[in-house]
Amino acid sequence: MAKLLKSMIWMLTLVLVAIQPVAAAAFAKALQEEELFIKEKAAWMENGQLHVQVELDREYPRIALAVSTGEETEEISFEDTDRIAVLVDTQERFGQLLFSIKAYEKQEMVASSLLRIADHELSSVGNSSVLQVEQANWSDQAEPAEPLELELLTSAAAIPQATIKKQAERYEKDWKKSKQKNERMPGKASNQDRYEIESNDTMSKADWITANHNGYGRIGKAGDIDYWKVKLPESGKFTVWLGEMPANQNYNVYVYDSGGNEMKRSENKASMDEWIDGLSGEKNQFFYLLIKGEDDSFDKYVYYRLKIDFAAEGVENKPDEHEPNDDAKQATLIQSDQTVPATIHTLKDVDYYKLSLNMPSTIYLELSDISEEMDLDLFLLDSTKKQVGRSENPKNKNEAISYSGNPGDYYIKVAASQKSKPSSKPYKLSVGAKTIPVILIPGIGGSQLAVDNGKVTWINEVDVASNQIIEHNLALTPVSPGSNKVISKNGVTITPVTGEYGLAGIENLTVMSKMGMQYHDLINDLQDAGYEKGKTLFGFPYDWRLDIREQQPLFQSKIKEALAASGAEKVQLVAHSMGGILVKDYLLADSKRAAQIHNVITIGTPYLGAAAASKALLQGYNFGILLLMPLTGFKIAENAPAVYQLAPGDEYERQMLAQFNRTVYGYIDRFQKFNPLPLSELKKEYPNKPLTALAQSRRAVWDKKYPNVKQAHIVGDSQNTIIGVTRWGELPINQNPSLYIEYIFGLGDGTVPLFSANNPGSAKANIYYTKTDGHMELLKETPVRKQVMSLLQGNEETVAGIQKTPHNVKQQSLTAYSFTGDKSDFRDLQLQIRNKENDQIELVRFTAEGDLDREQSTKNYLLEDAVGSGDRYNLQIIVETKAELEIIVDDGRTNGLSISSYDSKDGRTANQLLLKQAGMKAPQKITIEHNRSQRNVKADGKALKVMPLQFN
C-alpha cells in the first residue's frame, strides 16, 4: 500500500509538472493581452461639461468606474456592456482627474485600468460644488470640438485571488528555505513578482519589490501597515501604482528615499487606485513604499497589487538627416505612399512630418521597426495643430493610425515615452492616403428600371408615351390580402440599371434624349475634380417603388464596393429627394454604420413628407415626367410602399398647424365653412391600408431622429409648392363626382415644401437655401452643383446663389382656374393663355384621348391635373392673382366643362367662384378675363354671370 501511495504521489507530481508550463503560458498570454482591455478612449469638453467614454475589448457583466480629483471620489457601475460613457461635473480645481475602471465576472475582478486627464487648462469643469458623475449616452462623433487627452496610465489583467494566495504561500515557502532569508528575496528569483511576508511594518523589515514587476500584499487588520523597498537597476524615472484593492476599503501609498524622507504620497478617497509619478533616482538607489489603510481600512483575505514602472535614462544619439524637425514649422515634407527611416536621438526629441492632401482622403500611418529599448508613440494633427489621431501602444509595439479627413495640411508627430531608452536603430514611418469615394443616390423615380430582357422601361419614351406599357411593367399588387409585402401585378421582373458602377442608371433617366438629365452634370463636375468611375465615384440605382427599408442590404453592398475599390475607410454620400430618406433610414438602423460615413449631402429631401405623394395616392401624379398621365401614375403608386412612405406624417401635420394654422386636409361644407380633418382621415382615403400602416411606423422613427454623422442639406425655398388639399363636400375625393378640389400652397422647390426639406430631425442641422427652378432642376443648377462640390471638399462656406438663411421670398397670392369634366370633354381640347402686358400667348393642349400633353403645353404656368371616380378629370391652371391675362377655351362639347376659380395664399383659400356650369348649352368659345382680383367670363362674346361657388 505504501509503495502504491508513493507511486500515485510520483505520478501526480509528474502531472503537476506537466501542467505548470501550460498554466504559466496561459498567464503569460493574459499579461501580453492585458493592454487590449481598453479598446478606444476619448474625452472632450462640450457645453461646459466634461464627457468621457471608453470602449473595452468585450462585454462584461459589471464594470465599476471611480473618478477622483484627489480630494473627492465618485463611483458608478455599468452592467452587461462593453462601453461606458459619463458626464463629470465639479467646480473643484484639480491638477489631474483619475479614472479607475474595473471589470468583474462572477463577482471576481478580471481586469482593471487607470486613466488620467492631466493639466486641463480650466482646472475645473461644470458648475457643481461637489464632484458629480453620471451616466451619459454613447457618442459616435468622430471629431469633438474640444478634445482632451485621456492618458492610459496602466492596464492589467487581474489574477484571481485564489491564485494569488497559492502563489504567495509557495513564495513564502521558498523564502523560508532561502539563504538570503534576512534580505527577504529568493536568490534565483530577483526578477519575479513578490509577495508580502509578515512582519513588514517597519522600513528595516520591508519586503523587496523589483522594478517593472508586481508586489502583492494584504492589510490584514486595523492599524496594519506594509513597507516595501526597491533598488533602481539604472539611473532613471519611475512611477508607483497601487490598485486592485478590496472593495469598500481605502488604502494609501507613500514614497520615501533611502534616508526615510517622504518624497510623494497618493491619498485618493474610497477604493480608488493610487498613482504617483515624477519620481527619479540614481543607479542602485533604494526607495521605500508604505501602504496603509485610511480610517482603519483592512481586509485579511483580499490582496492589493503594487507595481513600480521604471525607465532608464538614455544616451543621446546622433541626429538623423531630417533634423531639425522638432515642431510643425520645421516639419519634414512627406508624400503619400512614402516610407521614411528616422531616429529619436534623445528622449526630448520629437519628429514632425507634413503631409498635404488635395482630395478628401483616408490617411494611413504606420510606425514600425521600433527598437526594443524604445516606446514610440504616433500622433496626427490637422492644419490648425488640433490632434485628430493617436496611437500609444506599449513598449516597442508598432503604432498605426487611420483617419479620414478633408483636403489640407496634416502633421505627423513621432515622440518617445519617458520609459524609453534612446537607440541608434531607426524607426520606419509609412504614409498612405486614399481618396474618399462619392456615392450618388437618386430619389423616387430617379433610377432607370429594366424589364426581364434588360430593356429599359423607366424611362423609355416609347413605353411612357403609350402609358399602358409602363403601367403593365411597373404596377404592383400585395402578395396576399392584408399584406404589406408586394410583388409585380403582371409577373414582370424589374431590376435597376447598374452599368458603369451604378452611374448609367442615374445619369440620364430617359433612353433616347437628354430630357431626363439628372446626375449628368454633377458626374462631369466630379470627374473634372479627379474622381474616377469605379474607383472613387459610384451610383446607387434602386427600385424606387419598394419599401425604403428593403434597400439597406443593397446599399450596404454598394458602400463595401466603394470602400474596397478606393482603399478608403469612409464614403461621402450625395442624395437627391427620397434618396436622403434612404440614407437616413440606413444610418438609423445601426449606429455603427456611421463609422463608414465621412459626409452626407442631401438635396431637396422631403424629410417630413410631401403632399405630392398624397396626391399620387388620391388623384394620380406624373412623377415629373411630361409624357406620364396621372392615372398611370396612380396605378404605379397605389401599391408602391415608397410612395406611402413619402406622404405627410404626424410631424408634417404639426408643422402645418404651427406655420399655417390648418391641417393638411379638410373640406368645405354646404355652408361654405372650412372643416379641418386630422391626417388620419386623409390616410383613410389611401387605397392600401397595410402600406399606410407600414409608412406610419417608418415615419415615427424618421421624423424624430437624426443620424450622428456630418450632414448638410440643400433646400429649394422659392417655388410655389402644394402643401395640402381641401375638398368641397363630405364625400371623399375619389367618390366625389364634382371632383372639386383646392390646392393649398406654400413655399418650397415646387414638389417638396420648405418646412419638410429643412426639418431633417435636428435643430442644429446645416441647411443651405437656394432659389431653384424646380425639384428636378435642383440637381442641374450651377449654384447647387458648386455647393455640393465645395461641401465634398470640406468647405462649409456658401457659394454664389446659396445662403444659410431662407431667401426673403414673399409668397404671392395665387389664383387657380379649375376645369372639370369627363375625360371625353378634354379630347383635342386647346386652351390659350394670353398675357395682356406683353401679348404673349401660351398653350395648354390635350391629346385625342383627352390626356394633358405636357410636352406641348406651357411651362410658364403651373398645371395640376387629377383623376377622379369613373372617367372624371380635373385640370387646374395656377396663375399669380396680380397678373392681367386672358384664358380662352374652345369648348364645343355636348355637356361642356364646369369652370371655377379660387385664390390660394399662406395656407388659405378664398374667393371661390363658379364661372361656368356644366350641362349648359355648349358654346363654341369661352373667354375668361383675369384682371388682378377681377374675373369676367364671356361665352361667344356674351357675358356669363359669375356666382359664388356653393356646394349642394
Side-chain angles (χ1 to χ4, degrees), residues 493-511:
T493 300
I494 293 292
T495 56
V497 175
T498 58
E500 289 193 321
Y501 311 100
L503 296 168
I506 67 172
E507 183 173 5
N508 298 302
L509 290 184
T510 48
V511 175

Side-chain angles (χ1 to χ4, degrees), residues 391-679:
S391 178
E392 298 172 291
N393 290 326
K395 302 179 181 178
N396 69 324
K397 290 184 178 180
N398 290 354
E399 307 288 352
I401 293 174
S402 63
Y403 173 78
S404 296
N406 295 317
D409 294 333
Y410 291 85
Y411 297 91
I412 303 161
K413 174 184 172 183
V414 179
S417 78
Q418 295 304 306
K419 297 178 182 179
S420 296
K421 183 176 181 181
S423 169
S424 59
K425 179 184 176 182
Y427 63 77
K428 185 187 296 182
L429 174 64
S430 300
V431 179
K434 302 295 183 182
T435 300
I436 297 174
V438 173
I439 302 176
L440 307 176
I441 306 106
I444 192 164
S447 302
Q448 287 189 353
L449 301 179
V451 293
D452 316 59
N453 59 6
K455 175 193 170 186
V456 174
T457 187
W458 182 274
I459 300 172
N460 185 314
E461 288 89 336
V462 174
D463 289 5
V464 176
S466 71
N467 274 262
Q468 290 88 351
I469 297 176
I470 202 76
E471 178 186 330
H472 175 271
N473 289 339
L474 297 187
L476 297 165
T477 189
V479 296
S480 60
S483 174
N484 59 22
K485 301 295 182 183
V486 296
I487 56 174
S488 171
K489 184 176 182 179
N490 301 301
V492 180
T493 300
I494 293 292
T495 56
V497 175
T498 58
E500 289 193 321
Y501 311 100
L503 296 168
I506 67 172
E507 183 173 5
N508 298 302
L509 290 184
T510 48
V511 175
M512 296 183 292
S513 71
K514 298 298 183 182
M515 180 183 69
M517 282 175 54
Q518 187 180 215
Y519 273 111
H520 176 273
D521 292 341
L522 185 57
I523 290 172
N524 287 341
D525 294 340
L526 289 163
Q527 288 182 294
D528 291 343
Y531 288 92
E532 301 177 45
K533 290 183 178 181
K535 184 176 182 181
T536 54
L537 181 56
F538 300 84
F540 180 64
Y542 58 97
D543 189 341
W544 40 263
R545 304 168 301 162
L546 306 181
D547 182 2
I548 293 174
R549 182 68 49 82
E550 292 184 17
Q551 310 299 339
Q552 286 193 18
L554 292 174
F555 189 52
Q556 191 167 39
S557 296
K558 177 59 68 173
I559 291 175
K560 289 180 180 179
E561 176 190 347
L563 294 178
S566 65
E569 287 189 339
K570 294 189 176 185
V571 298
Q572 300 205 77
L573 306 176
V574 179
H576 176 245
S577 193
M578 188 178 76
I581 304 292
L582 187 153
V583 171
K584 184 174 188 177
D585 183 64
Y586 174 80
L587 293 173
L588 290 178
D590 185 350
S591 61
K592 293 181 180 179
R593 291 172 174 172
Q596 293 182 320
I597 310 301
H598 182 64
N599 195 9
V600 174
I601 302 169
T602 66
I603 306 168
T605 293
Y607 281 106
L608 304 183
S614 294
K615 186 175 184 296
L617 295 170
L618 296 173
Q619 304 164 305
Y621 183 61
N622 70 347
F623 292 89
I625 307 303
L626 297 180
L627 299 176
L628 192 71
M629 298 301 110
L631 181 59
T632 305
F634 173 78
K635 293 297 184 182
I636 295 173
E638 65 175 332
N639 290 309
V643 178
Y644 288 79
Q645 292 163 12
L646 284 185
D650 292 339
E651 185 59 33
Y652 187 107
E653 179 93 307
R654 280 190 284 272
Q655 291 292 330
M656 284 284 290
L657 289 167
Q659 296 189 34
F660 300 98
N661 194 30
R662 66 155 287 159
T663 55
V664 179
Y665 192 38
Y667 74 95
I668 296 176
D669 62 23
R670 66 187 62 212
F671 304 107
Q672 299 188 29
K673 178 184 176 183
F674 173 74
N675 296 266
L677 292 172
L679 190 62

Side-chain angles (χ1 to χ4, degrees), residues 99-277:
F99 299 83
S100 169
I101 301 174
K102 299 173 183 177
Y104 293 84
E105 289 183 344
K106 298 179 180 179
Q107 308 303 315
E108 182 91 42
M109 188 190 305
V110 294
S112 69
S113 284
L114 185 65
L115 303 98
R116 173 175 67 178
I117 297 176
D119 302 324
H120 180 48
E121 63 180 6
L122 299 179
S123 297
S124 64
V125 293
N127 302 306
S128 177
S129 59
V130 297
L131 177 64
Q132 293 184 355
V133 181
E134 62 181 63
Q135 290 191 26
N137 294 326
W138 183 269
S139 172
D140 290 316
Q141 64 174 317
E143 301 177 22
E146 299 181 62
L148 300 175
E149 181 179 1
L150 184 58
E151 180 185 4
L152 179 62
L153 299 177
T154 184
S155 188
I159 302 174
Q161 286 291 317
T163 303
I164 296 174
K165 182 179 179 182
K166 290 181 180 179
Q167 292 173 340
E169 291 171 349
R170 187 181 303 115
Y171 180 90
E172 184 173 7
K173 183 178 180 180
D174 291 343
W175 172 77
K176 288 180 179 179
K177 295 179 180 179
S178 173
K179 295 180 181 180
Q180 297 175 325
K181 179 176 179 180
N182 292 334
E183 288 299 320
R184 295 175 177 260
M185 56 181 297
K188 295 183 179 181
S190 60
N191 289 319
Q192 69 177 29
D193 290 345
R194 303 309 178 94
Y195 300 86
E196 169 197 20
I197 297 176
E198 293 285 2
S199 62
N200 61 343
D201 52 1
T202 64
M203 287 186 180
S204 61
K205 297 179 181 180
D207 286 306
W208 280 98
I209 186 171
T210 307
N212 297 321
H213 287 80
N214 299 299
Y216 294 93
R218 293 179 292 191
I219 302 298
K221 60 183 180 180
D224 184 20
I225 59 174
D226 291 345
Y227 274 98
W228 297 80
K229 65 180 177 180
V230 62
K231 182 169 71 173
L232 300 187
E234 301 285 345
S235 297
K237 299 179 180 180
F238 65 97
T239 60
V240 176
W241 170 59
L242 177 64
E244 299 180 15
M245 292 170 284
N248 303 318
Q249 303 302 316
N250 182 10
Y251 295 174
N252 299 324
V253 60
Y254 307 81
V255 180
Y256 301 87
D257 63 17
S258 55
N261 301 304
E262 183 179 333
M263 299 175 64
K264 282 193 174 184
R265 63 174 62 188
S266 178
E267 297 177 320
N268 293 323
K269 304 302 180 184
S271 54
M272 181 71 188
D273 290 9
E274 307 292 347
W275 175 264
I276 300 176
D277 58 6

Side-chain angles (χ1 to χ4, degrees), residues 28 82 135 271 329 365 531 672 701 733 736 743 766 839 919:
D82 61 345
Q135 290 191 26
S271 54
K329 292 182 180 179
L365 305 177
Y531 288 92
Q672 299 188 29
V701 176
I733 287 177
N736 192 330
Y743 297 117
N766 200 10
D839 207 34

